[in-house]
Amino acid sequence: MSWFWVALLSAALMGLVGILDKTLLFHFAKSWLTLPLLIGIAQAVIGITLVLVLPWTDAGASAIGWAVLSGLLWGIGSLFLFYLLFSREASKTIPIFQTFPAFVAPMAVIFLGEELALYQWIAILAVVAGAVMNSIKRDSGYGGLVLDGAFYVLIAASVLAAAANIVGKLALDNMEVVQAHAFRVLGMSSLMLVFSLRWAPMREIWGFVRNRSPALGIFGLNEFVVANTGMLINLWAISLGSVSLVT
């Protein structure tokens, strides 16, 4: 199968993930750390299960390290996104975070030796320009146009997501896709758990369980099906083609 269609499916699934994340944060969560804690628990279960159940080839310590680092970078970027998504519109946050392919391209040229045509560089500039325009607002003080302060945090998160894809490509040079996915989610889940394992989100999650909240159904669908499939397909697409074009 062509990497193009695989990458397109991954992008569609990850876009849906952001909407479902916002639904949980907006309608059910009182703490923005609730979502990272749930993700940490779920992805740890997925990663450990894959490591224990699937047959493994000897990928080497460096490949495993790249996969775990990819998950750590993705996790840090996601934490920035969740923090802002908790209090801001999804339409003002997710599109900016999703500009990370524009940062993947120059990183791939520098670190992986990939090449881009002029029209592809123009497309990258158009993506960044669109993100800037989406973040412009009118200042209430003097009436001029300014960039929303969240823009810089979201761009930082986007750069981290781009770095995660570059590092993931390095892991895939010596690992199978499912193997890389397992260690990547273990890296991401460990970061999420360390950062969000607090009493407030723990009590909130226990409340979801005790009250049989729909939040658990939404999260289960999102994390175990949509997000997990999207991340796995993302790695599959990266393994099939140039990371600068796939993302």
Side-chain angles (χ1 to χ4, degrees):
M1 181 181 291
S2 168
W3 63 263
F4 174 80
W5 297 110
V6 178
L8 190 63
L9 177 59
S10 173
L13 288 172
M14 297 312 291
L16 178 59
V17 168
I19 299 302
L20 292 175
D21 283 343
K22 177 61 180 179
T23 300
L24 190 147
L25 287 171
F26 181 76
H27 291 287
F28 300 99
K30 296 179 181 179
S31 168
W32 75 274
L33 289 173
T34 299
L35 180 57
L37 181 54
L38 283 168
I39 291 174
I41 295 170
Q43 293 302 333
V45 170
I46 292 170
I48 292 171
T49 300
L50 289 175
V51 169
L52 294 177
V53 172
L54 296 178
W56 296 104
T57 57
D58 184 13
S62 62
I64 293 174
W66 287 127
V68 172
L69 178 58
S70 176
L72 290 171
L73 291 169
W74 192 269
I76 296 170
S78 297
L79 286 173
F80 287 158
L81 174 64
F82 297 150
Y83 176 74
L84 293 173
L85 195 60
F86 183 69
S87 58
R88 295 173 181 268
E89 298 177 19
S91 62
K92 295 292 184 180
T93 52
I94 295 173
I96 299 173
F97 178 75
Q98 293 289 354
T99 61
F100 68 83
F103 302 107
V104 169
M107 288 182 184
V109 170
I110 295 170
F111 298 110
L112 301 179
E114 297 183 1
E115 297 181 356
L116 293 176
L118 177 61
Y119 71 89
Q120 291 169 325
W121 286 109
I122 293 173
I124 290 170
L125 292 175
V127 169
V128 175
V132 171
M133 292 178 65
N134 191 49
S135 298
I136 292 175
K137 66 177 184 178
R138 187 171 297 279
D139 186 88
S140 57
Y142 66 92
L145 298 177
V146 296
L147 273 175
D148 191 327
F151 171 81
Y152 303 102
V153 179
L154 288 167
I155 287 296
S158 185
V159 170
L160 288 167
N165 278 274
I166 295 295
V167 174
K169 179 67 172 179
L170 294 174
L172 288 167
D173 288 341
N174 296 291
M175 300 181 79
E176 299 293 334
V177 170
V178 178
Q179 191 174 15
H181 176 62
F183 286 106
R184 184 169 74 163
V185 298
L186 285 175
M188 181 175 67
S189 65
S190 62
L191 176 79
M192 295 282 188
L193 289 172
V194 168
F195 192 86
S196 62
L197 200 58
R198 306 287 187 271
W199 282 114
M202 288 173 63
R203 284 194 298 267
E204 189 158 42
I205 292 172
W206 174 242
F208 291 162
V209 174
R210 188 177 62 247
N211 299 320
R212 299 181 180 179
S213 171
L216 293 177
I218 295 172
F219 174 78
L221 171 65
N222 192 29
E223 203 61 29
F224 286 100
V225 180
V226 183
N228 196 53
T229 303
M231 290 189 293
L232 186 58
I233 291 177
N234 167 254
L235 282 176
W236 181 25
I238 291 174
S239 73
L240 293 175
S242 166
V243 67
S244 58
L245 297 178
V246 166
T247 55

